[in-house]
């Protein structure tokens, strides 16, 4: 988790 | 997915539906800031570019599509279909005062200096302040229709519920994203004054009217 994660929120 | 995030998304969805229905049923967009709606269209366009690169879930894809399409539909209704009812004399907030600083900040503070990531960050920063033209319009006219107040309450609640989601995810999943958290805090704080008026006036059946 953290930097460069895909953004799974809206 | 947790309950706060789901409620936040549903609250966001409700806000969008309320706004579209209000405009459609009354054939009027009086009292609504077209500037805020254009900013939201920019926000969701730049945030959801990952629709074409990353698949997360059917829910995620579906909601993103709804938010983007609804944003453009609202702009279309305001600037084309019901243009005559648009309150442009009062909707005078300058969009560039929000877009340019958000873009500069996104270039300076981001998780990764790539096009998609900077655009995502830009959308988060811009979303946090995109409601300002609408709040400015309400303060200029000194009042808001009840339905507009319900829209604003649902829209404001959405990021507030996301704050709870982030607290939950921090403890449950050890996941946090400082950019989203700080911007979400700013976004929610901007609504505080409105929330106060909504609870003390609109919920008691009165019109939202600002003190002279």
């Amino acid at each position: 988790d953290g930097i460069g994660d895909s953004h799974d929120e809206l | 997915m947790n309950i706060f995030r789901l409620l936040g998304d549903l609250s966001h969805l409700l806000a969008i539906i309320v706004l579209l229905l209000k405009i459609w049923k009354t054939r009027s967009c009086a009292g609504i800031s077209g500037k805020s709606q254009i900013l939201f269209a920019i926000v969701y366009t730049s945030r959801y570019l990952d629709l074409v690169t990353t698949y997360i879930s059917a829910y995620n894809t579906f909601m993103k599509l709804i938010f983007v399409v609804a944003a453009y539909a609202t702009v279309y209704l305001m600037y084309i279909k019901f243009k005559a009812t648009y309150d442009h004399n009062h909707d005078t907030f300058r969009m560039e005062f929000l877009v340019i600083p958000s873009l500069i900040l996104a270039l300076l503070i981001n998780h990764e200096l790539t096009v998609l990531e900077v655009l995502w960050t830009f959308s988060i920063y811009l979303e946090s302040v995109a409601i300002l033209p609408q709040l400015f319009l309400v303060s200029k006219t000194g009042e808001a229709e009840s339905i507009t107040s319900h829209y604003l309450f649902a829209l404001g609640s959405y990021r507030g519920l996301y704050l709870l989601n982030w607290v939950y995810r921090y403890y449950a999943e050890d996941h946090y994203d400082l950019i989203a958290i700080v911007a979400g805090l700013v976004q929610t704080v901007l609504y505080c004054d409105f929330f106060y008026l909504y609870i003390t006036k609109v919920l008691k059946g009165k019109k939202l009217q600002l003190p002279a």
Side-chain angles (χ1 to χ4, degrees), chain B residues 6-179:
Chain B
L6 181 64
L7 287 176
D9 292 343
L10 292 179
S11 176
H12 189 185
L13 192 61
L14 180 70
I16 289 170
I17 293 170
V18 164
L19 181 64
L20 279 172
L21 276 181
K22 172 213 145 50
I23 297 175
W24 191 256
K25 293 267 182 192
T26 62
R27 322 297 286 174
S28 162
C29 54
I32 302 298
S33 165
K35 303 279 179 71
S36 280
Q37 297 308 319
I38 289 177
L39 292 175
F40 284 127
I42 297 173
V43 163
Y44 299 118
T45 308
S46 49
R47 183 171 317 162
Y48 298 153
L49 290 171
D50 67 352
L51 267 174
V52 289
T53 61
T54 317
Y55 176 79
I56 293 167
S57 66
Y59 170 83
N60 189 279
T61 302
F62 176 74
M63 293 297 252
K64 282 176 175 171
L65 285 173
I66 295 270
F67 291 156
V68 174
V69 170
Y72 282 96
T74 310
V75 170
Y76 164 77
L77 290 181
M78 293 194 68
Y79 284 90
I80 295 167
K81 192 156 177 72
F82 301 123
K83 190 176 193 282
T85 62
Y86 170 48
D87 211 355
H88 62 90
N89 287 331
H90 290 118
D91 194 16
T92 51
F93 200 99
R94 301 274 295 268
M95 286 188 283
E96 56 271 36
F97 290 168
L98 302 176
V99 172
I100 294 169
S102 299
L103 191 58
I104 292 171
L105 199 60
L107 285 164
L108 295 175
I109 304 174
N110 53 56
H111 291 310
E112 201 176 54
L113 201 58
T114 60
V115 174
L116 274 186
E117 194 60 29
V118 169
L119 284 172
W120 177 86
T121 314
F122 162 69
S123 84
I124 294 288
Y125 294 152
L126 185 61
E127 185 192 349
S128 70
V129 292
I131 201 61
L132 284 176
Q134 178 64 55
L135 297 176
F136 184 69
L137 174 62
V138 171
S139 75
K140 253 195 149 177
T141 56
E143 58 179 39
E145 284 176 56
S146 295
I147 191 75
T148 306
S149 305
H150 300 325
Y151 160 70
L152 280 169
F153 185 75
L155 192 63
S157 305
Y158 135 69
R159 222 49 177 176
L161 287 160
Y162 256 76
L163 290 178
L164 299 177
N165 156 58
W166 291 321
V167 172
Y168 176 87
R169 291 191 78 180
Y170 178 75
Y171 288 108
E173 301 167 26
D174 214 18
H175 169 96
Y176 69 98
D177 184 328
L178 268 185
I179 288 176

Side-chain angles (χ1 to χ4, degrees), chain B residues 164-201:
Chain B
L164 299 177
N165 156 58
W166 291 321
V167 172
Y168 176 87
R169 291 191 78 180
Y170 178 75
Y171 288 108
E173 301 167 26
D174 214 18
H175 169 96
Y176 69 98
D177 184 328
L178 268 185
I179 288 176
I181 292 170
V182 174
L185 272 171
V186 170
Q187 185 167 340
T188 306
V189 165
L190 290 181
Y191 284 87
C192 282
D193 191 35
F194 167 79
F195 284 152
Y196 174 77
L197 289 171
Y198 184 82
I199 291 164
T200 57
K201 293 198 172 172

